[in-house]
C-alpha cells in the first residue's frame, strides 16, 4: 500500500513554511509524513531530505509545493527526479504545477510531457537563483558608488607611515615590526604598501 509524504524547504531558520504546510493539508498529506529542511536549496545534502529518501518505498507519493522547494540547481533537480521516479519508483506531485504529477499520464506521451515541463521549470528555478545573485551584486556595486561602506571601517594609517615604510624598505625593521608600529595587521600593512607604491 502506498504512503503519501510531503517535503518542504525554506532557505533559512527565519523563514517559515506555513504556505507549504497549508498546501499539504489541502492535499491530505499526513502531518507525521512531512519532512522540512531549513537550509539552502543549492544541493541535496540536507538532513530531512536524506531521511525522507531512505523512507520512500515503491509506489509511495511525494508532494512538493513547487519545483524550487525541491531544489535550485538545474542538473541536481533532474538527477533527484530520476532517482525518485526511476530508482525509488515513486510518484511526485508538484502542487503548483499540475502537469508535474507523475500519477497521471503513465504512457509514453505523458512521461514525455512531464519530462519537458520538469526541464523547463528546473531551468527557470536555477536561472532565477542566478538572477537574484546578479541583482545582489549590482545592488552592492550601486551602493558602493553612492559611498556606502561594507564591512569593518578601514583603520587609517598613522601620519608617520612614510617614515615606517622607509625604515622597512631600508631593512631596519621587519614587516611584523612595521605593522605593529602602524597598529595594524601585517596583511593590512602590506596592502597599504602596495597602495603607497602604486601612487609613486
Amino acid at each position: 500500500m502506498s504512503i503519501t509524504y510531503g517535503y518542504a524547504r525554506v532557505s533559512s531558520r527565519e523563514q517559515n513554511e506555513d504556505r507549504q504546510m497549508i498546501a499539504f493539508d489541502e492535499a491530505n498529506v499526513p502531518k507525521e509524513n512531512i519532512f522540512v529542511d531549513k537550509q539552502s536549496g543549492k544541493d541535496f545534502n540536507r538532513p530531512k531530505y536524506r531521511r525522507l529518501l531512505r523512507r520512500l518505498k515503491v509506489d509511495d507519493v511525494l508532494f512538493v509545493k513547487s519545483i524550487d522547494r525541491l531544489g535550485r540547481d538545474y542538473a541536481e533537480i533532474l538527477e533527484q527526479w530520476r532517482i525518485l521516479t526511476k530508482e525509488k519508483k515513486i510518484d511526485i506531485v508538484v502542487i503548483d504545477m499540475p502537469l508535474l504529477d507523475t500519477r497521471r499520464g503513465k504512457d509514453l506521451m505523458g512521461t514525455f510531457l512531464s519530462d519537458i515541463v520538469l526541464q523547463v521549470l528546473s531551468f527557470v528555478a536555477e536561472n532565477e537563483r542566478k538572477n537574484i545573485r546578479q541583482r545582489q551584486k549590482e545592488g552592492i556595486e550601486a551602493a558602493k558608488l553612492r559611498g556606502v561602506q561594507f564591512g569593518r571601517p578601514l583603520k587609517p594609517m598613522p601620519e608617520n607611515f612614510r617614515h615606517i615604510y622607509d625604515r622597512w624598505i631600508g631593512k631596519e625593521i621587519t614587516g611584523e615590526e612595521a605593522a605593529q608600529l602602524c597598529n595594524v595587521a601585517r596583511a593590512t600593512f602590506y596592502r597599504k604598501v602596495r597602495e603607497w607604491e602604486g601612487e609613486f
Side-chain angles (χ1 to χ4, degrees):
M1 185 176 158
S2 69
I3 300 173
T4 301
Y5 293 94
Y7 177 71
R9 184 187 64 77
V10 288
S11 297
S12 70
R13 297 198 173 277
E14 288 72 40
Q15 294 177 324
N16 88 40
E17 64 278 6
D18 289 353
R19 286 189 308 114
Q20 295 173 75
M21 293 306 198
I22 290 166
F24 293 150
D25 188 49
E26 289 171 354
N28 297 314
V29 179
K31 282 187 172 56
E32 64 273 17
N33 290 352
I34 296 173
F35 291 74
V36 182
D37 274 313
K38 296 197 173 191
Q39 68 184 83
S40 164
K42 66 183 173 64
D43 60 43
F44 283 84
N45 189 23
R46 308 175 215 136
K48 295 295 174 63
Y49 181 79
R50 289 290 165 201
R51 192 179 302 170
L52 168 65
L53 210 54
R54 289 193 297 272
R55 182 88 65 90
L56 292 166
K57 300 286 185 285
V58 175
D59 292 332
D60 285 345
V61 181
L62 174 62
F63 281 80
V64 291
K65 174 83 165 65
S66 58
I67 197 71
D68 65 343
R69 296 305 88 200
L70 191 59
R72 287 200 174 270
D73 181 276
Y74 176 57
E76 289 263 8
I77 293 171
L78 294 176
E79 174 61 11
Q80 288 303 311
W81 190 276
R82 185 193 65 75
I83 290 168
L84 292 167
T85 58
K86 304 293 192 290
E87 292 182 17
K88 289 284 185 180
K89 294 183 168 52
I90 68 154
D91 279 308
I92 307 175
V93 180
V94 180
I95 296 168
D96 286 353
M97 181 55 62
L99 275 172
L100 285 177
D101 181 346
T102 62
R103 297 171 303 178
R104 300 180 191 151
K106 293 281 189 181
D107 61 358
L108 188 61
M109 181 56 75
T111 303
F112 175 70
L113 284 174
S114 179
D115 285 350
I116 285 180
V117 172
L118 171 67
Q119 292 205 30
V120 169
L121 288 177
S122 300
F123 173 77
V124 167
E126 183 177 12
N127 208 46
E128 178 57 19
R129 184 167 63 96
K130 287 178 180 172
N131 287 341
I132 288 168
R133 282 206 306 263
Q134 182 62 29
R135 287 195 294 269
Q136 286 172 336
K137 183 181 171 192
E138 288 168 0
I140 289 168
E141 285 170 0
K144 283 180 177 175
L145 288 173
R146 291 195 312 272
V148 176
Q149 294 288 328
F150 291 90
R152 289 181 298 185
L154 293 174
K155 223 179 225 183
M157 296 306 283
E159 290 179 13
N160 63 344
F161 173 75
R162 175 67 189 268
H163 175 66
I164 295 168
Y165 169 82
D166 287 342
R167 290 182 62 197
W168 173 72
I169 281 288
K171 301 196 184 317
E172 291 177 36
I173 55 174
T174 65
E176 185 71 44
E177 290 168 332
Q180 285 173 0
L181 288 168
C182 289
N183 196 27
V184 295
R186 190 166 52 177
T188 303
F189 173 73
Y190 288 131
R191 189 174 67 249
K192 288 295 180 184
V193 165
R194 287 194 298 275
E195 288 172 12
W196 178 269
E197 289 174 344
E199 291 175 9
F200 295 94

